[in-house]
Amino acid sequence: MNPAATDHATNAAADNVTDTAADAATDTVSTPADAAEDLERRLGPVDPADAHVRDLADEREEFPQADVDALDGIGLARHYVPVEHGGLLRDYPSTAAMIRAVAGRDLTMAIAHGKTFLGAVSVWVAGSGEQAARVAGLVSAGVPVSWGLTERGHGSDLVAGEVTAYPDGDRVRLDGEKWLINNATRGGLVTVLARSDPAGGPRGFDLYLVDRRTAGDSYRPLPKVRTLGIRGADISGFTLDGVLLDPDADRVGAPGSGLETVMRSLQLTRTLCATLSLGAADHGLAEAAHFAADRRLYGRPLLDLPAAGRTLAECYADHLLHEAFATLATRAIHTLPGELGILAPAVKYLVPVGTEQLLARLRRLLGARAWLRDVRGTEVSPGVGVFQKIERDHRIVSLFDGNTVVNLNSLVSQFPLLGRAHRRPRPAEAGLYRAADLGAPLPPADPSRLRLMPTRGAGLLHDLPAAAAQLAELAAENGRLTPIAESARSLAERTGELLEDVAEQPIVPPDVPAHAFDLARRLTWALAGAAAVRLWLDSHSHVSRTALGPESLWTDGRWLHAALDRVHTRLVAGHRPTADEERALEETYAALTGELLRQTAGHRFPSLLHTRRAEAL
Amino acid sequence: MNTSESTARPADIDEVVDWLIERVAEYREIPAADVDPEVPLAELGLDSVYVLSLCGDVEDHYGLVVEPTVAWDHPTIDALAKHLHAELTGGAS
Ligand SMILES: Cc1cc2nc3c(=O)[nH]c(=O)nc-3n(C[C@H](O)[C@H](O)[C@H](O)COP(=O)(O)OP(=O)(O)OC[C@H]3O[C@@H](n4cnc5c(N)ncnc54)[C@H](O)[C@@H]3O)c2cc1C
């Protein structure tokens, strides 16, 4: 039985893909913003009628086939395939920027389509050349690839998995069930993590490629699961009932390497998941900014009420901080792969959770409008109908691909290394500065350089005192930087204390005490703050010179000022700026609000970098 | 950090075994005498993720960069010591 999606892909989408390949060869996509604008241009302006259709489909829990066809039509999936395997994925930040733009239109669409990257990534990380060519062909032709890790009885604890892959003559036989799998019903190809050693253990699992065309009826999709958000997505599962595979051609990586490959792959996917949150916040912020500017209360715009204006500005600052952190981490895939083991879980924790918090604040700002469901029925004002869907759909991002607790737990497991590295710090690697310098070209990504543990700790944290000193030097020449340098100095101090605490933690897996999770949570905010400092320091002159981003954000370190304020509120319970600090912050937040309104009115993404939506192209 | 201080050359496998026993005792905050070098590290309370940290100690102490998964491939102290010793002295493991 051939899944419908496979038929569709091999017939209809194939022509489009060829066109796109030709287009792309003539385009020289040079920055992530260019990549996003290129996608925007091809998808065209958002039609309000589409939003209405989408909303009704969501209500009926229908798969967004037209949306996904549109993405196949512009060949987006080719950006999931590395250039060395014939695709267009040259740099991860560009692919991330494209998925962000899609997520900003609709998360169901982004997740339904982008999941193929997750399904295929293990092959880029550990597969043979032949496997990569095979999977690249399917992905480029629009075949959905899914990733089967989770089981009904086992969520985060992958080594407890019960799907088996045992020898059967000269074949290997797969049996068992995976459940809560995205695209399990539509998918044409599935990567499956299966137990190959009855005793299990970290070397007791293999990763297999199951092709639906050859598996036939021994692969059976399970019924669609109804979900709170992304209601149209194909969330189901599958049973494997004696699927026979070739132990060499179909196994990804060496025998026993399944778990290791998954852990490496997760470093890439967890980093990229942040872009789904950024897209959701782009959408939510634009709705909220329109609303706050248009809605009149007590004879003036809502925005002019100080508390409302500040809420909007702080949410925007959170978003810029998330963007800075995700940007540095995504660039680090290329320049600092050895430290992705700490950056990926930190980003995957902080950006989705931070975005949930900012969406919740925007929801309160929107008031009743965020509670209404009709997108077009009442036509009251911006945000109506759409907002509740953004928030609902986004809830999945902190859950899948390693939930909140799993990511914090992963950081806790690195405490011994981090503690030791803190006591014997080494100079940060050049790759850190290259990740932070938006003007520096990225070397090709080499997934074989991903390490399961960052042996030398996190360069960002060790570099922080020096970065703060660098800001202080700049502040000596430009007084407007003084509050920012002071804030960075205090961040460095707090981070030092945090690392002392981290180093003191006893190792008691799996009985991790609640306190350790709180340390891990604060560690992620310290990392995000350090990333913001580094990014501003190493990129501000380049961004100003080349006009890559709004002057009003980059001049005098304005966005950094606000971003660090947001970090301190997470690091210290009940943090309150002094009166002097508050005066400086007020000015900064006012400048941010102005920029958010400009970006929204000019159909640009709410972002550190100029990126136009289709409406402005 | 200063490499001459941080790299050591083991005289024999037993020295590596003793050093690993100390590390595990330190991690688990238990007496070294309770650490059996023939028992899988997982049973000593270093689960599959924590055990990856050992590569950092190895790098610091012996100046030897190893894949973190070395402790998955050599899951007891005895096996790991044998492997590390061979790596350090240029022999095959
Ligand atoms: C819409 C959707 C799509 C999905 N798509 C896929 C997919 O395509 N492929 C796939 O493989 N999976 C997929 N999943 C599964 C998803 O990744 C898992 O559900 C998720 O990783 C975590 O597992 P869990 O919440 O089910 O359960 P568990 O791991 O059982 O966790 C339950 C709760 O226990 C707590 N907890 C867990 N670990 C710890 C700890 N160490 N310390 C303290 N508390 C802890 C947390 O509060 C956690 O929420 C999808 C899930 C959904 C909802």
Side-chain angles (χ1 to χ4, degrees), chain A residues 330-352:
Chain A
T330 309
R331 290 177 59 85
I333 293 173
H334 296 259
T335 69
L336 197 60
E339 293 190 17
L340 220 60
I342 181 164
L343 293 174
V347 164
K348 177 64 175 63
Y349 165 77
L350 185 142
V351 179

Side-chain angles (χ1 to χ4, degrees), chain A residues 115 147 149-150 155-156 180-182 235 396 401 403 405 517:
Chain A
K115 188 70 195 194
W147 207 12
L149 304 177
T150 309
S156 320
L180 282 187
I181 307 301
N182 195 348
I235 308 300
I396 186 58
D401 210 46
N403 65 25
V405 177
F517 281 99

Side-chain angles (χ1 to χ4, degrees), chain A residues 159 202-203 259-260 263-264 412-413 416-417 420 424-426 451-453 455-456 506-509 512, chain B residues 1 5-6 27-29 45 47-50 52-53 55-57 59-60 65-69 72-73:
Chain A
V159 282
R203 284 290 185 224
L259 201 68
E260 180 178 358
M263 287 174 74
R264 283 179 199 276
V412 172
S413 70
L417 280 180
R420 196 178 43 237
R424 310 177 64 186
R426 302 181 228 216
R451 299 198 84 207
L452 292 195
M453 280 276 161
T455 330
R456 297 168 173 226
I507 317 280
V508 282
V512 178
Chain B
M1 199 66 208
E5 178 211 88
S6 60
Y27 271 103
R28 298 292 291 131
E29 301 187 333
D47 78 0
S48 52
V49 179
Y50 278 91
L52 298 170
S53 300
C55 71
D57 295 272
E59 189 173 325
D60 272 0
V65 179
V66 289
E67 270 307 308
T69 45
W72 288 0
D73 296 321

Side-chain angles (χ1 to χ4, degrees), chain A residues 328 331 335 431-438 531 534-536 538-539:
Chain A
L328 187 136
R331 290 177 59 85
T335 69
L432 174 65
Y433 305 105
R434 225 169 329 138
D437 177 359
L438 295 173
R534 206 60 263 169
L535 189 74
W536 185 83
D538 295 340
S539 293

Side-chain angles (χ1 to χ4, degrees), chain A residues 74-113:
Chain A
I74 63 166
L76 177 60
R78 298 198 42 154
H79 293 269
Y80 305 158
V81 180
V83 275
E84 60 271 30
H85 305 306
L88 298 174
L89 170 52
R90 185 165 284 111
D91 69 294
Y92 282 88
S94 290
T95 294
M98 297 175 93
I99 301 175
R100 173 174 171 178
V102 177
R105 290 171 178 240
D106 185 64
L107 267 178
T108 310
M109 173 177 175
I111 291 169
H113 199 272

Side-chain angles (χ1 to χ4, degrees), chain A residues 8 11 19 45-46 77 88 103 114 129 133 143 187 216 335 377 420 504 508 590:
Chain A
H8 160 78
N11 307 329
D19 289 351
V46 175
L88 298 174
V143 175
T335 69
R420 196 178 43 237
E504 306 272 290
V508 282

Side-chain angles (χ1 to χ4, degrees), chain A residues 122 147-151 154 157-167 172-178 190-210 238 240 242-243 245 250-262:
Chain A
S122 310
W147 207 12
L149 304 177
T150 309
E151 298 179 10
H154 314 284
D157 188 8
L158 293 177
V159 282
E162 292 178 64
V163 167
T164 56
Y166 294 151
V172 62
R173 183 193 155 110
L174 269 65
D175 291 283
E177 181 197 81
K178 293 282 178 184
V190 189
T191 24
V192 178
L193 183 69
R195 177 181 295 252
S196 48
D197 177 349
R203 284 290 185 224
F205 290 81
D206 282 338
L207 204 56
Y208 279 98
L209 290 171
V210 176
F238 55 85
L240 304 172
V243 173
L245 298 175
D250 297 325
R251 192 193 54 241
V252 181
S257 67
L259 201 68
E260 180 178 358
T261 300
V262 167

